[in-house]
Amino acid sequence: MVRQLGRSRTRPTRPPATARAARTPASEVSERRARSAADGGPDGRRHGHRSRWSPATTIRSALSGRSVAGQVFVFQVVIVLLLVVVAVVALVVQSRSDSTMEARNRSLAVAETFANAPGTREALTSPDPTAILQPRAEAAREAAKVDFIVVMNTDGIRYTHPVPDRIGHRFVGTIQPALAGGTVVEHITGTIGPLVQAVVPVKAPDGRVVGLVSAGITTEHVGGAANRQLPMVLFTAAGALVMATAGTALVSRRLLRQTRGLGPREMTRMYEHHDAVLHAVREGVIIVDGDGALLLANDEARRLLGLPDDAEGRRVLDLGLPADTAELLASGRVATDEVRLVKDRLLAINQRPTHLRGGPHGSVATLRDSTELRALSGRAEVARERLDMLYAAGVGIGTSLDVTRTAEELADLAVPRFADFVTVDLFDAVLSGEQPEVGTQLRRTALAGVGKDPPLYPVGERIRFVPSSPQARSLRAGRATLEPRLREAPGWQAQDFELTSQALEYGIHSLITAPLRAGSLILGMVTFWRADNPEPFDAEDLALAEELVARAAVSIDNARRYTREHTMAVTLQRSLLPRTLPEQSALEIAYRYLPAQAGVGGDWFDVLPLSGARVALVVGDVVGHGLHAAATMGRLRTAVHNFSSLDLAPDELLGLLDELVARIDQDEAAEGGSAPITGATCLYAIYDPVVRRCAIARAGHPPPALVRPDGSVEFPDVSAGPPLGLGGLPFETAEVEVAEGTRLVLYTDGLVEDRERDIDVGLDLLRAALEQAGPSPEDTCRAVLDSRLAARPSDDIALLVARTQALGPDRVSAWDVPSDPAAVAEVRASVTRRLTEWGLQDLGFTTELILSELVTNAIRYGGVPIRVRVLRDRSLICEVFDSSNTAPHLRYAAMTDEGGRGLFLVAQLAERWGTRYLPGGKVIWAEQPLP
């Protein structure tokens, strides 16, 4: 359709009206072109005459102002002029603003620099400040390019000035804020013109103002960018005017060419001819604009689409057409023979946009009735649905690394889109993550269907298929098997005559069974059943089932492999964590360990009995999950076990552990490894039930919590220290006094920190949970985890709660021993009396021998003071203190040696013995089991 766009400027001589009536617009155009060619050439020129599309004609049309091009030209010129004026005004305003700001900043900077310059304060207190400051001020003024630098006293009397005659006169300006210690920046009009001056104080070391410095500069001495940019602005404006003129000329010329010289009558006749042809063709034609509104529809399009009489001008989406057809026509996209069902007709739609060759935005579509393509469309729809199902299988199966869940996703996807019932049977080895063995029994893992209680094996049933069943044949062949009519399949009925007869009565009539293959492994079977759908499965369904099961097999195998890896990691981690807690009397302990949702991690804890009835508590965390984190945790736990046997202070033990981690990282780096363990943290605490004190040190680990017997909760101030492996900083030990019945709570960061909240919020929640917990460690663990865990945690959680118990004075005895060998006998007698009071007379002889040897060694080789302590706990503990740091060593004495057998005797009589060091000496201890 051609719209009237304008009139041609020149017309050839027309024939009489009767002749014109007999001609069509097309013949007239042909005649015009023929006469033009005969007159002078293809461009319609006569020799000696100027073409009507000459540049001069175009320019005259543009300048006339009556054409669109002329109006556009005038409008563009006005806009460019306005932009030039606005740019010049903005440039001048900006230049003034910049000049004022630059003057302000420069004067303030010069004044502050001179006031704080070395010697300024001292010169103000000299006998003749002017002699010292005047040359300095003038030199600074010339270097800083300001108009003046004036130094004055607190009364405003000038010491310096560019004009020496004004020295000694009062400064003109505001100085009161500067006398109070502030700064003053003001705009004034002086004898040299508008200027900006700043006044700053000169302060003595005690903060007292001893003088003032003022610097100023006139605004005319800064700026000037506007004058430099003004020529460029004017030049740009001139260029814009030239481009506007040229653009208008091009627009006018293009308008003239698009009309092709046709007059209004010729364009009207051409439109009538096209309109007659448009409505006479037996093919639907519709034109839609860029906004989706219907501009034109011929008679055939109205008939095919069933459009109402007032359809033109309305949006296509509001005409009651099928959604897919309306969406296609309103979209304007390119379409080629796309088949759409409209009522009882299949329409082949071809659509092209109208703006590809400079036309208006919109689209033209042609419609052909293609009802004979109905069968083809049905098959295409089936193919599309199957492709959609395969796509859904790709994104919907395998969303979790759980074998059972993946099997359930497969069954849910295929019902009811492909089958009425779906069963998934897997080998037991697959469910546990192992490689399956073909020939063993299968376990029904998933069942989904459109009805309830189908006559099929339930989930969890162990199944062994008979050799004649389709499932067994499919397993042997390794490919899918089709049974279109189960009433005629004796092999399937032989599986279970009673159950299969019930299935036939239920309506199940066809099946496809396919093995779940992952490479060379067969993981199980998938069986598709039809009952409500009367059509049996066919060869195309068989191909689709094979493709669907092949995609699901990959996800099930991935889940199987993950299950195996997860089981291995869990087994390793459980073997490295303490299975039972050691027997001790100092602490009543309860613990919890919860692995993360993503898998096992590196959180660990331990309880280590030490000498002197003391107990060490350890909680650690290795960053990461998986086998590497679990193995690293085991290495660190073993190292802590070994270091604790040395009876080290907590800070010393963490120092050794830090060095060990650094060496491990160095070894990993030397071997090309990429998994450093510097993210490991640890907290080590030692509780002494005799003095009821707890020594704590931590390496980047969350702080412990103390729940006092009255129920109050506090987090002791224990220096955090860096994580293990960083080195460079020492660890610190904090001593905390704990009353009997206090609960010591140790945990890993998974309890108080996650991606959604900060650790401070987690500590507040932990405090609230501990305040509401019961008095026993078990109650505390239960209350903390119940309040913390609404779902499975994203990180491992290790929780250790220990309630302190005291070793009372009735179970502890101590004696000071003078450095005299004769005192050994008195010690033996005192110990014997104490053992008799405790009812341990049977241990008197061995205890006397042990203490005799230990005290004698302390007197002979140690230093004063010497002290003996005996503890009655789960064993009898004898301890000898002295101030020497030299530890005795067990050795074998020769037959001729007079000594050297004391420690050998102690080692034979005691169950355990050892040495631990204190800040003021050492302790040699020995333990004997109680009878």
Side-chain angles (χ1 to χ4, degrees), residues 418-422 456 470-471 481-489 492 503-504 507-513 527-539 541-542:
F418 180 65
D420 296 321
F421 295 95
V422 177
L456 301 171
Q471 290 85 352
T481 300
L482 169 64
E483 284 289 353
R485 287 170 290 275
L486 293 179
R487 290 188 179 276
E488 304 173 6
W492 170 72
L504 293 175
I508 296 176
H509 60 85
S510 183
L511 72 80
I512 292 177
T513 180
T527 306
F528 304 92
W529 314 79
R530 275 190 178 172
D532 294 350
N533 189 345
E535 295 294 329
F537 288 114
D538 55 19
D541 295 326
L542 182 66

Side-chain angles (χ1 to χ4, degrees), residues 529-597:
W529 314 79
R530 275 190 178 172
D532 294 350
N533 189 345
E535 295 294 329
F537 288 114
D538 55 19
E540 293 183 358
D541 295 326
L542 182 66
L544 176 62
E546 288 181 331
E547 179 67 21
L548 184 62
V549 172
R551 298 192 180 197
V554 175
S555 299
I556 292 177
D557 189 54
N558 289 338
R560 178 189 67 85
R561 294 173 182 270
Y562 172 78
T563 301
R564 180 182 61 187
E565 297 292 336
H566 182 73
T567 302
M568 293 173 57
V570 169
T571 302
L572 174 62
Q573 186 185 41
R574 294 296 184 186
S575 65
L576 296 175
L577 289 173
R579 300 183 180 180
T580 58
L581 296 181
E583 295 183 356
Q584 45 81 32
S585 303
L587 298 169
E588 181 185 353
I589 295 176
Y591 64 91
R592 295 290 190 275
Y593 176 80
L594 297 178
Q597 184 176 6

Side-chain angles (χ1 to χ4, degrees), residues 342-489:
V342 179
K343 297 183 180 178
D344 58 344
R345 296 186 180 92
L346 286 175
L347 302 182
I349 302 176
N350 289 274
Q351 182 168 268
R352 295 292 184 273
T354 57
H355 58 83
L356 295 180
R357 298 184 180 179
H361 282 275
S363 61
V364 177
T366 61
L367 314 172
R368 288 183 290 109
D369 190 356
S370 302
T371 309
E372 66 274 8
L373 299 178
R374 185 186 303 271
L376 177 61
S377 176
R379 291 195 295 270
E381 182 66 20
V382 172
R384 185 184 66 82
E385 291 180 358
R386 292 182 175 181
L387 289 176
D388 289 344
M389 186 167 63
L390 290 178
Y391 173 77
V395 299
I397 299 177
T399 58
S400 66
L401 293 174
D402 183 82
V403 175
T404 302
R405 179 58 189 154
T406 305
E408 292 173 349
E409 290 172 346
L410 169 60
D412 294 337
L413 176 72
V415 175
R417 302 172 65 177
F418 180 65
D420 296 321
F421 295 95
V422 177
T423 57
V424 182
D425 306 318
L426 300 176
F427 293 105
D428 285 335
V430 175
L431 296 174
S432 60
E434 303 298 330
Q435 291 190 1
E437 296 182 3
V438 179
T440 59
Q441 290 182 331
L442 291 94
R443 185 181 297 276
R444 179 134 300 172
T445 308
L447 188 154
V450 296
K452 297 182 179 179
D453 299 326
L456 301 171
Y457 291 118
V459 174
E461 182 81 10
R462 295 176 63 90
I463 308 170
R464 182 181 294 276
F465 292 103
V466 298
S468 62
S469 64
Q471 290 85 352
R473 288 188 280 119
S474 182
L475 284 176
R476 289 195 303 268
R479 60 177 180 270
T481 300
L482 169 64
E483 284 289 353
R485 287 170 290 275
L486 293 179
R487 290 188 179 276
E488 304 173 6

